[in-house]
Amino acid sequence: MKIGATVDGDLAAIATEILQEAEAAVTRGVVAAGRGLRDDWRGQVRASGLGSRLANSVRQADFPRSGTSLRAASLVWTKAPDILHAFDGGVLIRGKDGLWLAIPLPAAGVTGLGRQRITPWRWEQRTGMRLRFVYRRNGPSLLVADDARLNSRGLAAAKGGRRRRDGVLTGAQTVPVFLLLRQVKMPKKLDLDGLAREA
């Protein structure tokens, strides 16, 4: 018995059409997976309490930039890799060269000069006050501001006025400004690798 077959239409055109459909399907799937992963990462960052600004540091780009391809790819990354890695892995952070980590307390405020992240040096530059080191055997050491007060926003500020008693401004107090720690263990709040594997 013999079986014969014929192609109805142009074989090359049919193959091209099938290839184009396959490229479009692969590209749509890869783009959807990439956007889904980006949104999942952002959602997990927000849900962990790390804020929208850090969540929005997660970005996504599709390749090719235009058109379709069987080799389509989607790249998901963050513009703050060190921060997200710290919360993803629960890393241990130590002071540089064995120095202390200075953790700002509420009295320190959030920013220094030029809206930069507050440090002891920037705090002294901003306020014109000097910080004093206080060693504590049974707890974290401190950097404190002497002859200070808390202003209406709860920030350490220079005590106003000139009334002194025994060389000390009356009503002035010593205000803790920074907590000093040798190391800090970051809590694991994220599982970005798990989401990537699912995607």
Side-chain angles (χ1 to χ4, degrees), residues 152-191:
S152 61
R153 294 184 296 150
L155 303 178
K159 176 66 179 163
R162 299 182 178 226
R163 295 171 53 201
R164 290 180 175 269
R165 181 181 300 150
D166 298 327
V168 177
L169 287 168
T170 58
Q173 55 186 312
T174 296
V175 178
V177 182
F178 288 90
L179 195 66
L180 298 176
L181 300 171
R182 290 292 185 187
Q183 60 187 29
V184 174
K185 174 73 173 177
M186 300 294 287
K188 181 172 172 59
K189 292 188 169 189
L190 305 172
D191 183 18

Side-chain angles (χ1 to χ4, degrees), residues 87-99:
F87 285 105
D88 189 42
V91 299
L92 187 67
I93 299 176
R94 290 189 174 92
K96 205 172 188 181
D97 299 324
L99 299 176

Side-chain angles (χ1 to χ4, degrees), residues 5-177:
T6 60
V7 176
D8 186 15
D10 185 348
L11 183 58
I14 293 171
T16 299
E17 183 180 345
I18 292 172
L19 178 61
Q20 289 173 343
E21 289 174 358
E23 288 174 338
V26 168
T27 303
R28 280 195 305 271
V30 168
V31 168
R35 289 183 183 163
L37 179 59
R38 178 200 64 192
D39 294 343
D40 288 346
W41 276 17
R42 287 180 174 178
Q44 193 174 90
V45 171
R46 285 190 189 96
S48 67
L50 297 174
S52 292
R53 185 172 180 184
L54 188 57
N56 290 337
S57 75
V58 177
R59 303 297 173 90
Q60 182 239 353
D62 300 316
F63 302 95
R65 296 286 190 182
S66 62
T68 59
S69 173
L70 288 175
R71 301 177 65 187
S74 187
L75 176 65
V76 179
W77 79 98
T78 174
K79 296 177 83 174
D82 293 339
I83 297 173
L84 286 188
H85 173 70
F87 285 105
D88 189 42
V91 299
L92 187 67
I93 299 176
R94 290 189 174 92
K96 205 172 188 181
D97 299 324
L99 299 176
W100 300 89
L101 292 171
I103 313 299
L105 295 170
V110 179
T111 58
L113 293 171
R115 309 298 296 170
Q116 295 174 313
R117 185 175 51 196
I118 194 73
T119 66
W121 182 83
R122 288 181 183 137
W123 187 89
E124 289 183 338
Q125 293 293 309
R126 184 185 75 191
T127 63
M129 300 172 66
R130 299 288 298 169
L131 291 167
R132 179 171 60 88
F133 175 77
V134 176
Y135 174 76
R136 298 194 304 168
R137 179 181 295 180
N138 296 322
S141 296
L142 300 168
L143 288 177
V144 301
D146 292 319
D147 292 339
R149 65 181 173 85
L150 292 176
N151 65 18
S152 61
R153 294 184 296 150
L155 303 178
K159 176 66 179 163
R162 299 182 178 226
R163 295 171 53 201
R164 290 180 175 269
R165 181 181 300 150
D166 298 327
V168 177
L169 287 168
T170 58
Q173 55 186 312
T174 296
V175 178
V177 182

